[in-house]
Amino acid sequence: MSIRTLWISLFIFMGTHGMGFSQDTHHWNNQFGTRAALLGGAVLTDTIDNAGVYYNPANLAFLDTSSVSINANLYGLENIEIENALGQRENFAGLQFNTVPLLVSGNIKINSPWSLSYGLITPVSFNFNGVARIETERDLIPDNESPGLENLVAESGLNTRVQETSVILGAGRLLGPAVGIGFSLVNTLRSVDFNYRFSAKTLTNTTDYFLVSRSQNEFVKYYTVRTALKAGINYQQKGYGLAATIQTPGLTWLGNGSVAEDVTLVNLPIREGGDRITAFGSARQEKIKAEFKTPVQFSIGGHKQVGKSILSLNITHFGGVNVYRIMEAEPGPFIRPEFDGSENFGPEELLNVETAMRPVTNFALGYEGALGSGLKILGSFRTDFSYFDTAPTLGNQIVTELTQWDIFHISAGTVLEKNRSSLTLGLVYSFGGTQEYFQENSFSGSNPAPPLEGALTITEGSYSNFGLLIGYSFRFKKFN
């Protein structure tokens, strides 16, 4: 018997890190900049947009004017559904309107070989609220205590928010008329709020009935600050361009958080055929050191002009990150009252927050065509594969991520340029799903074992988003 199975059998919470596995298990969730968003990020050789501070700092070498992006927002209607969150076709579902600031950035051209740039972006902005409830008949209690089926009432709720904000400082310069290099320092603040609750209860079918129940609450909150360095090169010739970038793994230099678990058991046996117990486990630890890791990134891409049209490509590989602990809890009291074996299950074994990333490779294809004087049409298709790793969910620790599906993004819109300003209008549609969603606390079987616990099952999850992209940029005159 594994430690995890033993812990469940003792009913001193462990198995339900909610159904939560991961929202932001996507490196390419958002794209930044007005043109870059419509091109799906296929802008590694784009030399006319100061979004290069994020995509490829070598692009900055070719900018000869100072500019600032005043506004760039994506408005979206996002829908997430996780089937059979509790079994019996009771789903977790979340439909919400979101507003994501894509990019606030600027480029400063000074009397120097170097062109300087800055950017403020939101790489991750995710919120989910879901509730699932079932009422059904199940054989939960031995017939000698309660003949027949018992009425099961179970409910779970999940509320999670993940936010990242990055401040980027970049510089680029020309090595010759056709080659530019650049460097960016990417500083990211990440914050996570995760709340999960679960309850299951039943009554015996006897005149002197008694209650059998289990309730659980889980809370995780942390922030981290990390820094990564990106370097790039851009080669430009008439009608085409080639580029490559590399970004180092993120280095966390600040972060802490809190974690709490609470479970209450009423008249539950700690083992099959054993006596029923009434007990609870509760612990909360604050100001724990927190660390969030990001992998190395490699990008290659380019563009090719065909008549009045431009085709562009971006292929980016993200490395993997082995299982590690975002937060590690200290030893302390948990189970009350204690019983034989309970001393082996304290916060130091069960309240740690873990995650991992599997390596993924994404690509984006972009199209740009001229419709008339100052008017262009743009469109793209890009992948957004999930880096979700099943390993942490099979262990004993807390996992806060939710999304486990691959996403595909389609965008189309226009850019109207006049004098030194440009207006961007576009539509973005995203969709994804999986038939292998790892879901805890599901009552899909006819006889849950152990009672009122539910089980780890594989079900389905889906995602869709429809958004409106609105952007405005203004370019200053040259200083000289």
Side-chain angles (χ1 to χ4, degrees):
M1 177 181 291
S2 68
I3 293 178
R4 180 183 178 88
T5 304
L6 177 60
W7 178 246
I8 291 177
S9 69
L10 294 176
F11 292 99
I12 308 299
F13 167 73
M14 186 46 254
T16 22
H17 313 335
M19 41 99 17
F21 298 140
S22 173
Q23 141 11 39
D24 67 310
T25 59
H26 298 88
H27 296 292
W28 269 15
N29 195 48
N30 292 327
Q31 296 297 313
F32 311 100
T34 52
R35 295 179 67 258
L38 285 178
L39 291 172
V43 291
L44 290 182
T45 55
D46 195 325
T47 62
I48 62 174
D49 193 328
N50 54 25
V53 70
Y54 169 75
Y55 291 100
N56 184 359
N59 294 356
L60 307 176
F62 295 90
L63 299 179
D64 60 358
T65 63
S66 296
S67 64
V68 59
S69 294
I70 296 177
N71 185 26
N73 286 321
L74 176 68
Y75 303 91
L77 187 63
E78 184 178 61
N79 181 56
I80 291 175
E81 185 171 8
I82 299 164
E83 297 186 4
N84 295 317
L86 278 173
Q88 300 290 309
R89 298 185 181 275
E90 292 300 323
N91 304 336
F92 267 141
L95 179 65
Q96 60 187 353
F97 180 80
N98 55 43
T99 302
V100 180
L102 292 182
L103 176 69
V104 177
S105 65
N107 182 65
I108 304 173
K109 188 65 180 178
I110 59 177
N111 196 13
S112 166
W114 291 93
S115 179
L116 307 179
S117 187
Y118 58 89
L120 176 66
I121 66 174
T122 305
V124 177
S125 181
F126 178 80
N127 291 276
F128 179 82
N129 284 291
V131 176
R133 178 184 173 89
I134 63 170
E135 296 187 26
T136 187
E137 300 293 325
R138 297 291 176 88
D139 186 8
L140 301 171
I141 302 174
D143 286 345
N144 63 338
E145 293 181 290
S146 175
L149 301 179
E150 288 76 41
N151 180 249
L152 167 68
V153 178
E155 182 172 298
S156 62
L158 176 67
N159 183 355
T160 181
R161 183 190 68 84
V162 184
Q163 186 83 17
E164 287 194 354
T165 301
S166 295
V167 176
I168 308 175
L169 303 175
R173 65 166 295 170
L174 291 172
L175 294 183
V179 179
I181 62 169
F183 304 90
S184 288
L185 199 63
V186 184
N187 306 283
T188 303
L189 169 65
R190 176 183 178 87
S191 61
V192 173
D193 288 280
F194 178 85
N195 290 274
Y196 178 77
R197 60 180 177 83
F198 173 87
S199 66
K201 61 191 71 174
T202 189
L203 294 172
T204 57
N205 298 321
T206 55
T207 55
D208 55 343
Y209 63 87
F210 59 88
L211 173 70
V212 181
S213 69
R214 181 176 74 88
S215 64
Q216 168 199 321
N217 291 282
E218 181 178 47
F219 168 82
V220 175
K221 182 183 180 69
Y222 71 85
Y223 80 90
T224 62
V225 181
R226 67 180 188 269
T227 298
L229 177 66
K230 173 174 275 190
I233 186 170
N234 186 347
Y235 176 74
Q236 293 284 324
Q237 285 292 344
K238 184 177 181 180
Y240 73 94
L242 299 172
T245 68
I246 180 173
Q247 181 169 312
T248 66
L251 175 64
T252 299
W253 50 273
L254 182 65
N256 67 51
S258 303
V259 59
E261 304 280 4
D262 188 273
V263 61
T264 300
L265 317 169
V266 177
N267 291 320
L268 279 171
I270 63 174
R271 59 181 64 88
E272 186 176 354
D275 295 335
R276 297 184 176 276
I277 67 167
T278 296
F280 71 93
S282 184
R284 180 184 182 92
Q285 296 191 9
E286 300 181 337
K287 296 183 178 180
I288 304 174
K289 181 181 178 181
E291 177 186 22
F292 187 80
K293 298 181 180 180
T294 53
V296 64
Q297 303 176 24
F298 301 96
S299 297
I300 59 172
H303 75 270
K304 173 65 176 177
Q305 185 169 354
V306 182
K308 294 184 178 181
S309 300
I310 299 176
L311 301 177
S312 55
L313 172 68
N314 181 348
I315 301 175
T316 299
H317 175 76
F318 300 87
V321 178
N322 294 330
V323 177
Y324 73 97
R325 291 180 175 177
I326 298 175
M327 290 191 291
E328 186 165 1
E330 298 290 334
F334 187 59
I335 301 170
R336 302 168 178 87
E338 294 185 349
F339 50 85
D340 290 342
S342 65
E343 65 276 2
N344 297 323
F345 303 100
E348 68 276 18
E349 285 91 11
L350 301 167
L351 268 68
N352 306 300
V353 181
E354 285 191 350
T355 191
M357 295 181 181
R358 64 183 180 91
V360 297
T361 300
N362 287 313
F363 73 90
L365 295 172
Y367 169 82
E368 180 178 352
L371 294 180
S373 179
L375 183 62
K376 297 179 180 179
I377 183 172
L378 294 86
S380 67
F381 172 83
R382 66 182 172 92
T383 63
D384 191 10
F385 297 127
S386 170
Y387 61 69
F388 173 76
D389 192 320
T390 61
T393 67
L394 303 176
N396 291 330
Q397 310 306 322
I398 300 171
V399 180
T400 63
E401 291 97 355
L402 174 64
T403 61
Q404 302 173 26
W405 42 78
D406 298 331
I407 301 177
F408 303 91
H409 303 270
I410 301 173
S411 62
T414 60
V415 176
L416 177 61
E417 297 179 342
K418 188 174 182 180
N419 296 327
R420 300 190 306 275
S421 63
S422 63
L423 176 66
T424 303
L425 297 173
L427 298 175
V428 179
Y429 176 66
S430 306
F431 62 95
T434 178
Q435 294 183 341
E436 296 184 353
Y437 189 95
F438 283 73
Q439 168 62 40
E440 303 252 19
N441 277 4
S442 178
F443 291 96
S444 299
S446 58
N447 293 299
L452 306 188
E453 180 71 32
L456 176 67
T457 62
I458 298 177
T459 181
E460 297 182 9
S462 63
Y463 170 89
S464 66
N465 182 78
F466 183 79
L468 172 65
L469 175 68
I470 303 174
Y472 178 79
S473 294
F474 182 82
R475 296 177 293 278
F476 290 103
K477 290 182 178 181
K478 295 182 182 181
F479 288 138
N480 50 9

